[in-house]
């Protein structure tokens, strides 16, 4: 039984999957820190949680900024309580075929997904191990299996799977689990931008994707939030180091 409100940190929580995860964890009874590049962009999500009687704060930080991350976690601890849950969701894409991919495109993607998840996890682990309880969930992707035009993103998302399994090994004895969720196509501004780059109306793009998905539809952020909710739940303590594909069909 949970005896106090646990604090969760969700990165990239201003919109898309992160915004849905923040709302879901708040509905599950957690206090939630919504972290994104722009603090103001997280405010509507915070207000929604507060209006429903929950506790939340908006925090603006670049997850790849070492000192910024340390300061953000410190502030969250003071305002909401020590972090017990971390969802590393912040992400960007800089798609291009290998021959056109710049070193800047490579570094930007690796920095947000991998360095960001590393810095955030390192900043919170002390609180979790001290409490003897913690949950870390990292957002991977079906792109980890390989995807044309995404050498940088695929490498980052595959890297996150190795990162997750290593955290599970190192932190397990302290009551901390680490798992990864690898979504397939989910309707967000990230995939809308992909459609735009391919000169396709988003609806048409979604239809084309749905035709290749066994459950015959594209995903929505709530599909991923539900999986996060499971990994974070009190009774999921024996589930660690796993990669759950949430893609409307078998993957991996
Ligand atoms: P999105 O682009 O709609 O939202 C991402 C959020 O992360 C934005 O609010 C952005 O400001 C924030 N962000 C970006 N860089 C940041 C940084 N350095 N520091 C702090 N915040 C930062 O993306 P979406 O679709 O919601 O994706 C969320 C996660 O799920 C990402 O890690 C993405 O790679 C992953 N994913 C998404 C899929 C999809 O189909 N939408 C499929 C598989 C994985």
């Amino acid at each position: 039984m949970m005896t106090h409100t646990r604090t969760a940190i969700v990165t990239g929580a201003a919109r898309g999957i992160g915004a849905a995860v923040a709302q879901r964890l708040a509905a599950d009874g957690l206090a939630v820190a919504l972290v994104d590049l722009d603090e103001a962009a997280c405010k509507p999500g915070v207000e929604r949680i507060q209006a429903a009687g929950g506790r939340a704060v908006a925090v603006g930080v670049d997850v790849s900024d070492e000192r910024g991350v340390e300061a953000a976690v410190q502030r969250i601890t003071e305002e909401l309580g020590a972090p017990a849950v971390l969802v590393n969701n912040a992400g960007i894409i800089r798609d291009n075929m290998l021959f056109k991919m710049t070193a800047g495109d490579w570094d930007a993607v690796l920095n947000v997904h991998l360095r960001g998840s590393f810095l955030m996890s390192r900043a919170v682990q002390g609180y979790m191990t001290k409490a003897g309880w913690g949950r870390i969930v990292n957002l991977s992707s079906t792109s980890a299996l390989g995807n044309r035009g995404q050498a940088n993103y695929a490498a980052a998302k595959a890297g996150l799977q190795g990162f997750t399994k290593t955290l599970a090994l190192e932190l397990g004895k302290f009551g901390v689990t680490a798992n990864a969720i690898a979504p397939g196509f989910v309707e967000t501004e990230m995939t809308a931008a992909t459609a735009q780059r391919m000169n396709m109306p988003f609806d048409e793009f979604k239809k084309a994707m749905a035709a290749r998905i066994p459950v015959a539809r594209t995903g929505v952020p709530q599909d991923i939030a539900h999986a996060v909710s499971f990994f974070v739940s009190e009774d999921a303590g024996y589930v660690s180091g796993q990669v759950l594909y949430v893609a409307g069909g078998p993957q991996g």
Side-chain angles (χ1 to χ4, degrees):
M1 269 294 283
M2 194 167 84
T3 50
H4 63 283
T5 307
R6 297 202 192 274
T7 297
I9 300 176
V10 182
T11 69
R15 67 184 205 195
I17 293 170
V21 168
Q23 294 301 320
R24 175 60 190 259
L25 294 184
D28 289 347
L30 287 94
V32 185
L34 287 76
V35 171
D36 210 292
L37 286 171
D38 180 10
E39 180 166 326
C42 295
K43 285 273 161 65
V46 166
E47 282 161 15
R48 237 181 102 187
I49 291 169
Q50 289 171 340
R55 291 170 63 227
V57 291
V59 179
V61 70
D62 175 347
V63 295
S64 67
D65 170 10
E66 185 171 20
R67 291 181 63 182
V69 162
E70 294 293 335
V73 169
Q74 175 95 37
R75 192 188 135 195
I76 291 162
T77 304
E78 284 160 12
E79 291 185 21
L80 280 186
V85 171
L86 170 65
V87 183
N88 284 310
N89 165 85
I92 56 167
I93 47 173
R94 292 287 185 274
D95 296 357
N96 238 324
M97 298 300 280
L98 178 63
F99 75 103
K100 281 200 277 189
M101 188 172 286
T102 66
D105 291 336
W106 177 269
D107 290 344
V109 168
L110 275 280
N111 272 339
V112 178
H113 295 272
L114 276 181
R115 181 179 159 90
S117 298
F118 155 66
L119 291 176
M120 288 297 307
S121 302
R122 194 184 61 180
V124 302
Q125 57 80 31
Y127 298 103
M128 295 179 179
T129 54
K130 192 165 160 229
W133 196 96
R135 302 278 188 262
I136 297 175
V137 181
N138 298 317
L139 267 290
S140 179
S141 166
T142 50
S143 293
L145 304 166
N147 200 22
R148 279 175 72 85
Q150 291 197 316
N152 49 2
Y153 185 80
K157 292 309 199 184
L160 277 171
Q161 296 191 8
F163 177 66
T164 301
K165 290 173 190 181
T166 302
L167 294 192
L169 292 173
E170 292 187 11
L171 301 176
K173 66 167 175 274
F174 301 103
V176 180
T177 68
N179 291 285
I181 295 171
F185 186 96
V186 179
E187 299 166 22
T188 68
E189 287 181 49
M190 185 181 271
T191 42
T194 305
Q196 199 170 27
R197 212 175 32 254
M198 296 170 78
N199 277 323
M200 250 193 179
F202 195 34
D203 272 349
E204 214 176 288
F205 188 54
K206 281 193 289 188
K207 237 187 242 168
M209 299 304 292
R212 292 192 259 143
I213 298 169
V215 298
R217 70 167 176 89
T218 46
V220 291
Q222 289 73 19
D223 290 319
I224 310 308
H226 188 69
V228 173
S229 174
F230 164 70
F231 281 133
V232 166
S233 63
E234 295 295 321
D235 293 342
Y238 203 52
V239 181
S240 195
Q242 300 305 300
V243 180
L244 179 63
Y245 284 87
V246 182
Q251 294 278 349

